[in-house]
Amino acid sequence: MNFDDYRGIWVFVEEKDGVIAPVSLELLGAGRRLADKRGTELAGVLIGDHVTQLAATAFEYGADTMYVYDAPIFKNYRTETFMKALLACTEKYKPEIILYGATSTGKDLASAVATDLPTGLTADTTILDVEEDTGLLLASRPAFGGNIMATILCKKYRPQMATVRPKVMKALPREAGRRGKMIEETIPLQEEDVRTKVLEIVRQTTHKVRIDEADIIVAGGKGLGSESGFQLVHQLAQTLGAAVGASRDVVEAGWIGHHHQVGQTGVTVTPKIYFAIGISGAIQHIVGMQNSGLIIAINKDPAAPIFSSCHYGIVGDAFEIVPMLIEQFTKALGRKEDANVGKV
């Protein structure tokens, strides 16, 4: 394999219902940084039906070139159709790196493409870098239960590929009117050639909280002692109008549902303010909230690792500190204090 034939950083631009997925915009920002370091172009691959107009948005968020497959056969995501389009594009233009969002679609497509090429694939990456001279992608992710950060390399094959968790990268500021080169591609694929058919799409409405969209999150850990102690987190969150988050230990103990879990095996969040109460700060939790705007930690152990990742740390008993915070926030926000505050 001649590595000199492979040039350029690509992002699979995922869309749903005519809107580019936020993680794809984040990856365009990360890809722009890698492309500039390598002195090469950043390209996006967009596959769908009636999606050509979305290329303009990708240009405004950093793409230099967009390869677009726009046809009715791509109306709904199917592994077979999208894989054939992306494989054809990859074999024709030979990128050195392809990035995908670690969504259900991105992970499915990336694994299928990696198997067929074949090449390496790093899953659920949280840190990306590239060697300027060699173009070797440095894809880092938590490993061994989150106890270490492993940097995974693909030295023998191209393109190098990685799926990247949503919310861990930052999109560039939108540059309105920025333009690029659009290349419309086609493949000779007919509906009768596709083995899977979409018969119906059922959309279910859920009332579960979306903590990945919250501006303020109050998260609690096993340091709160018990499920009744964890109610302190709910009280502070209610006072602030915040979402409730939790560490893995809390979820596994059954104190709260899994959709509240922040971390490697939960949700990655980037709120403006993140309270970590009674959370020790294991790496598997840190990777899920480290990009928060302001991190405030409360823990009675002065040596807790969380204090290495927060902006403000309070060493002390949460059952003494949090009620005082609730009292002061209640006064500042002009709300009637809950008579049950601190009664856990």
Side-chain angles (χ1 to χ4, degrees):
M1 179 175 284
N2 186 358
F3 287 180
D4 292 337
D5 293 337
Y6 292 81
R7 296 289 296 173
I9 313 297
W10 282 16
V11 171
F12 168 64
V13 178
E14 184 178 341
E15 68 84 28
K16 184 177 182 180
D17 298 329
V19 178
I20 293 177
V23 67
S24 296
L25 300 180
E26 296 162 12
L27 289 181
L28 286 171
R32 180 74 273 162
R33 176 175 58 84
L34 299 181
D36 290 345
K37 189 172 182 178
R38 282 285 288 154
T40 189
E41 75 164 13
L42 172 66
V45 182
L46 179 62
I47 306 170
D49 184 29
H50 294 98
V51 295
T52 301
Q53 74 281 358
L54 297 179
T57 301
F59 292 139
E60 292 178 338
Y61 279 92
D64 299 312
T65 300
M66 286 296 296
Y67 301 104
V68 180
Y69 290 83
D70 194 332
I73 200 167
F74 302 120
K75 178 176 177 59
N76 297 305
Y77 174 76
R78 288 176 287 180
T79 306
E80 186 177 359
T81 57
F82 275 56
M83 179 186 70
K84 287 185 176 180
L86 188 52
L87 283 172
C89 202
T90 299
E91 291 167 358
K92 183 176 181 179
Y93 295 104
K94 292 183 168 52
E96 56 188 305
I97 294 170
I98 306 178
L99 305 176
Y100 308 76
T103 61
S104 56
T105 295
K107 289 188 285 189
D108 180 73
L109 179 61
S111 58
V113 171
T115 300
D116 200 276
L117 280 178
T119 188
L121 172 64
T122 303
D124 283 330
T125 303
T126 58
I127 302 173
L128 290 173
D129 201 357
V130 67
E131 290 186 353
E132 184 176 352
D133 296 334
T134 65
L136 193 63
L137 179 65
L138 310 177
S140 302
R141 54 153 296 157
F144 293 100
N147 294 313
I148 64 169
M149 289 294 292
T151 299
I152 300 171
L153 311 177
C154 180
K155 294 184 176 182
K156 296 182 179 180
Y157 301 98
R158 294 292 184 273
Q160 305 160 92
M161 303 205 305
T163 61
V164 182
R165 295 192 71 170
K167 299 285 187 178
V168 299
M169 303 295 167
K170 291 187 177 180
L172 296 173
R174 185 170 189 168
E175 187 178 339
R178 185 178 183 276
R179 300 186 183 280
K181 178 172 64 176
M182 186 171 70
I183 301 175
E184 297 184 63
E185 294 286 339
T186 61
I187 56 173
L189 184 62
Q190 303 298 320
E191 189 62 45
E192 55 267 25
D193 300 326
V194 184
R195 291 169 291 182
T196 56
K197 312 295 179 186
V198 177
L199 302 180
E200 182 183 8
I201 296 178
V202 179
R203 300 185 187 276
Q204 288 186 317
T205 301
T206 177
H207 297 291
K208 290 181 179 179
V209 63
R210 290 293 303 272
I211 61 172
D212 58 333
E213 298 177 354
D215 288 333
I216 304 175
I217 295 175
V218 180
K222 284 298 288 295
L224 291 168
S226 66
E227 185 174 359
S228 62
F230 192 79
Q231 296 307 307
L232 201 63
V233 170
H234 289 283
Q235 292 171 6
L236 179 56
Q238 184 176 8
T239 301
L240 297 173
V244 174
S247 66
R248 183 178 66 180
D249 288 344
V250 165
V251 171
E252 291 180 347
W255 298 357
I256 198 167
H258 181 267
H259 55 281
H260 291 272
Q261 182 177 330
V262 175
Q264 178 188 359
T265 54
V267 180
T268 300
V269 297
T270 55
K272 294 177 181 177
I273 304 175
Y274 188 89
F275 287 88
I277 303 173
I279 293 175
S280 63
I283 185 63
Q284 55 261 43
H285 185 81
I286 297 299
V287 298
M289 44 66 78
Q290 61 188 347
N291 290 325
S292 301
L294 179 67
I295 301 171
I296 302 168
I298 303 172
N299 200 297
K300 63 183 179 182
D301 179 7
I306 191 68
F307 290 126
S308 298
S309 300
C310 69
H311 300 95
Y312 295 98
I314 303 174
V315 178
D317 188 341
F319 294 101
E320 296 177 2
I321 295 167
V322 175
M324 289 190 288
L325 290 177
I326 292 173
E327 180 181 359
Q328 293 302 313
F329 282 130
T330 299
K331 291 178 180 179
L333 295 169
R335 295 173 181 169
K336 185 177 180 180
E337 185 172 355
D338 188 336
N340 293 318
V341 165
K343 296 181 180 180
V344 296

